[in-house]
Amino acid sequence: MKVLVAVKRVVDYNVKVRVKSDGTGMDLAGVKMSMNPFDEIAVEEATRLREKGVVTEVIAVSCGVTQCQETLRTAMAIGADRAILVETDVDLQPLAVAKLLKALMVKEGAQLVILGKQAIDDDCNQTGQMLAALADMPQATFASKVEIADGKASVTREVDGGLETLSISLPAVITTDLRLNEPRYVTLPNIMKAKKKQMDIFKPEDLGVDVAPRIKTLKVAEPAKRGAGVKVPDVATLVAKLKTEAKVI
């Protein structure tokens, strides 16, 4: 069974992002980039499934600029068998990525797609759901435990009231949550091995997919800075301020 794992190149979670002076987007000049943390969990889970003998091949997929090859090499160092880059300079939106993943899923004959529940740069939380809808496949989002047997996947997910377990038939889409696993440390020998693994590069037109943006960003601005707090002498003054100034009670 083949598994596609989608990985995205994003600004490293330790970096404080800056808005461009003209408000057209984020300033990425000289900024450290890395794999989206949720996608790293997805690669780890797919690798564990292969180590259990449930999966035969793990294929890492990334869509974006040429530098995404670095992210794919990291995925292969974690455990992916090979990689596919859909190279484009277009600012890809979730719908375009979902269409590309669907085309690759059909091309590769994959029975399972695992991806992070969201990317930390746009926080859209849409790609997995859109892929499932486009491909007419069952989906299980926010997975905290995944087990596969007899052509079905049992997925435990966290909900407001506790835990919910779903049984879905394959092929399917699964999106990962933080508590699914702890990604392994990437060792130097595995990094060197990843350099020799196969990486195929396609263009969106090779897959017959139109990736033109459907949404236009008008302006990007930093959030307003919070004002300093105010000390009050007693509870009565606090209640009065909440009523008259904050108007929350």
Side-chain angles (χ1 to χ4, degrees), residues 7 136 206:
V7 296
D136 193 24
D206 297 335

mmCIF file of all heavy atoms in Angstrom, residues 7 136 206:
data_model
loop_
_atom_site.group_PDB
_atom_site.id
_atom_site.type_symbol
_atom_site.label_atom_id
_atom_site.label_comp_id
_atom_site.label_asym_id
_atom_site.label_seq_id
_atom_site.Cartn_x
_atom_site.Cartn_y
_atom_site.Cartn_z
ATOM 1 N N VAL A 7 3.923 17.644 2.642
ATOM 2 C CA VAL A 7 4.741 18.466 3.545
ATOM 3 C C VAL A 7 4.853 19.879 2.967
ATOM 4 O O VAL A 7 4.971 20.045 1.758
ATOM 5 C CB VAL A 7 6.140 17.858 3.764
ATOM 6 C CG1 VAL A 7 6.032 16.507 4.462
ATOM 7 C CG2 VAL A 7 6.903 17.696 2.460
ATOM 8 N N ASP A 136 -13.748 12.328 -3.343
ATOM 9 C CA ASP A 136 -14.882 11.548 -2.851
ATOM 10 C C ASP A 136 -14.405 10.380 -1.980
ATOM 11 O O ASP A 136 -14.785 9.228 -2.185
ATOM 12 C CB ASP A 136 -15.728 11.036 -4.020
ATOM 13 C CG ASP A 136 -17.088 10.496 -3.551
ATOM 14 O OD1 ASP A 136 -17.539 10.916 -2.466
ATOM 15 O OD2 ASP A 136 -17.678 9.672 -4.268
ATOM 16 N N ASP A 206 1.722 19.702 -15.893
ATOM 17 C CA ASP A 206 1.982 18.287 -16.179
ATOM 18 C C ASP A 206 0.889 17.401 -15.596
ATOM 19 O O ASP A 206 0.618 16.302 -16.098
ATOM 20 C CB ASP A 206 3.330 17.860 -15.593
ATOM 21 C CG ASP A 206 4.501 18.602 -16.219
ATOM 22 O OD1 ASP A 206 4.356 19.058 -17.367
ATOM 23 O OD2 ASP A 206 5.545 18.732 -15.552
#
